Amino acid sequence: PRSTQSRSSAASDVYKRQAYALIFRGYYAFIKNPIVNSKGFETSAILGFFNSIFDLKRRENPDYLSVVFDKGGSADRSAIYSEYKSNRNATPDVILDSVPYIYNILNGLGITTLDLEGYEADDIIGTVAKRAEKKDFEVYMVTPDKDFAQLVTENIFLYKPARFGNDIEIMGVQEINKKFEIDSPIKVIDYLGMMGDSVDNIPGIPGVGDKTAKKFLKDYGSIEGLYKNTHNLKGKLKEKVEDNQELAMLSKKLATIITSVPIKYNLENLQFFCSLGASEGGGEHTDDANVLIICLEGEISYIVEGLKPVVLKAGDTIFIKEGLKHWGISSTVPRICLSCEVQGYIPSYEVTYYFG
């Protein structure tokens, strides 16, 4: 997002990434050809996730960035509807095992992570987006999730990452209104409340799908407007709508992203100092040396190759527990030279590594 006070000069960007949606997407992108290191650990989810981070860095070079995680699900939604998201399969072990790596690498790269027990990432993103907008920033919510369309304003955008050869898609007010055939993005809440959402197990109104929900919104403007005009409906549809008013109102509440989460953070701490793709070392908030160690141990080469350069001086000591057999003594990409004492498979061996 860009500060609306300085669009003609230096722009400030705030990007909020929904972690798990993109981790899952990364994992399933490699489901037919998973990437497994020499120790049998699958790194597909990590690769897919950081591919999207690197792509965002290359395309947008954001000034502010944070990655938001779910932590314990939504206490409020589960309290009013015990079946909320109950239809989801258990998270694959590969993803659960990958999350600690992702957290540590993000923190090492200087990318702030946000989470709060009892709240979904959607609600944290919604809260931070609205707060940033009040401070005259433009905000980009980086997620493929259509639910976020309800938050779009003149200064808050839905940024759908590239996938399967398709380019990124940035959706503002006009694009959302056109897609859902509404006159304001806030009505996406009513749309979801009417037709439900099978992904989150939001029931909606039985018998109401995409086309009917759009027609109802065009004719009546909201779920409340619909129930003031059920006398205009006919047949089985009229019966289903009238019999499920309570379910419709519940569904609308479940679909509403909370924008008042009591999460504490400092917007300035979301500044993006990551050195990926930089010609010089990272900022004061990065720890590229730690990232290097994590990636060497996990044999995660695609992240190491993005570190330009690692902030270590010749003679510094790093400790690598595993992975040296995978990496060998040297690499062939002569961009960064680190002379360091490596303790692990080759104790106290003086070695120079090159990473591109």
Side-chain angles (χ1 to χ4, degrees), residues 2 11 66 126 178 186 201 224 239 282 350:
R2 290 183 170 78
S66 67
K178 181 179 179 180
I186 195 68
N201 205 33
E224 291 80 1
E239 181 181 329
E350 191 71 13

Side-chain angles (χ1 to χ4, degrees), residues 212-223:
T212 304
K214 288 176 178 176
K215 184 179 187 305
F216 282 164
L217 286 173
K218 183 177 181 181
D219 293 343
Y220 308 118
S222 66
I223 286 182

Side-chain angles (χ1 to χ4, degrees), residues 58-270:
R58 286 191 296 267
R59 291 175 184 269
E60 313 298 344
N61 196 27
D63 297 305
Y64 295 79
L65 173 67
S66 67
V67 176
V68 186
F69 288 82
D70 294 304
K71 191 173 184 179
S74 172
D76 289 345
R77 294 183 181 88
S78 296
I80 62 174
Y81 186 58
S82 61
E83 298 300 307
Y84 180 68
K85 291 190 175 181
S86 64
N87 59 329
R88 293 193 174 186
N89 295 325
T91 301
D93 289 341
V94 170
I95 291 178
L96 295 176
D97 293 340
S98 298
V99 168
Y101 274 92
I102 291 172
Y103 260 111
N104 290 336
I105 294 169
L106 286 170
N107 291 332
L109 293 175
I111 300 174
T112 301
T113 58
L114 296 176
D115 58 47
L116 185 64
E117 185 72 38
Y119 291 93
E120 294 185 73
D122 306 36
D123 302 320
I124 297 174
I125 290 174
T127 297
V128 176
K130 292 297 185 180
R131 290 181 188 174
E133 182 182 37
K134 289 179 181 179
K135 293 181 180 291
D136 296 320
F137 284 93
E138 288 182 356
V139 182
Y140 293 83
M141 305 173 294
V142 184
T143 174
D145 193 339
K146 67 180 182 298
D147 299 3
F148 286 89
Q150 65 186 266
L151 298 172
V152 170
T153 67
E154 294 298 329
N155 297 306
I156 300 176
F157 300 85
L158 180 59
Y159 186 111
K160 301 179 75 172
R163 187 184 190 191
F164 297 140
N166 296 325
D167 202 358
I168 62 165
E169 183 179 10
I170 300 176
M171 304 185 74
V173 172
Q174 290 185 340
E175 290 80 8
I176 296 299
N177 288 348
K178 181 179 179 180
K179 177 178 177 62
F180 292 95
E181 300 177 21
I182 51 182
D183 56 20
S184 172
I186 195 68
K187 293 186 178 180
V188 170
I189 301 173
D190 295 274
Y191 169 85
L192 294 171
M194 289 180 184
M195 71 167 288
D197 186 347
S198 60
V199 174
D200 292 338
N201 205 33
I202 296 176
I205 304 172
V208 174
D210 172 71
K211 291 183 179 179
T212 304
K214 288 176 178 176
K215 184 179 187 305
F216 282 164
L217 286 173
K218 183 177 181 181
D219 293 343
Y220 308 118
S222 66
I223 286 182
E224 291 80 1
L226 170 64
Y227 279 99
K228 289 178 181 178
N229 291 277
T230 56
H231 58 276
N232 292 327
L233 306 180
K234 298 178 180 180
K236 286 290 185 180
L237 182 59
K238 173 182 172 70
E239 181 181 329
K240 287 181 178 180
V241 171
E242 290 182 335
D243 288 349
N244 289 282
Q245 182 173 359
E246 185 176 338
L247 193 62
M249 299 311 297
L250 171 65
S251 297
K252 180 173 180 176
K253 188 169 185 178
L254 292 171
T256 302
I257 292 177
I258 299 168
T259 57
S260 56
V261 173
I263 187 167
K264 296 180 180 179
Y265 66 94
N266 186 330
L267 184 60
E268 293 307 307
N269 291 340
L270 307 187

Side-chain angles (χ1 to χ4, degrees), residues 282-338:
E284 59 180 325
H285 297 279
T286 65
D287 185 4
D288 288 349
N290 187 47
V291 175
L292 172 66
I293 294 170
I294 293 169
C295 295
L296 284 174
E297 291 179 354
E299 301 172 15
I300 308 171
S301 60
Y302 38 85
I303 295 176
V304 172
E305 290 165 0
L307 296 172
K308 304 179 182 177
V310 173
V311 187
L312 285 177
K313 302 182 298 296
D316 283 352
T317 300
I318 61 173
F319 299 92
I320 303 173
K321 297 177 183 178
E322 301 177 16
L324 292 185
K325 289 183 179 178
H326 171 78
W327 290 96
I329 302 304
S330 64
S331 178
T332 58
V333 186
R335 292 240 183 132
I336 304 152
C337 176
L338 300 177

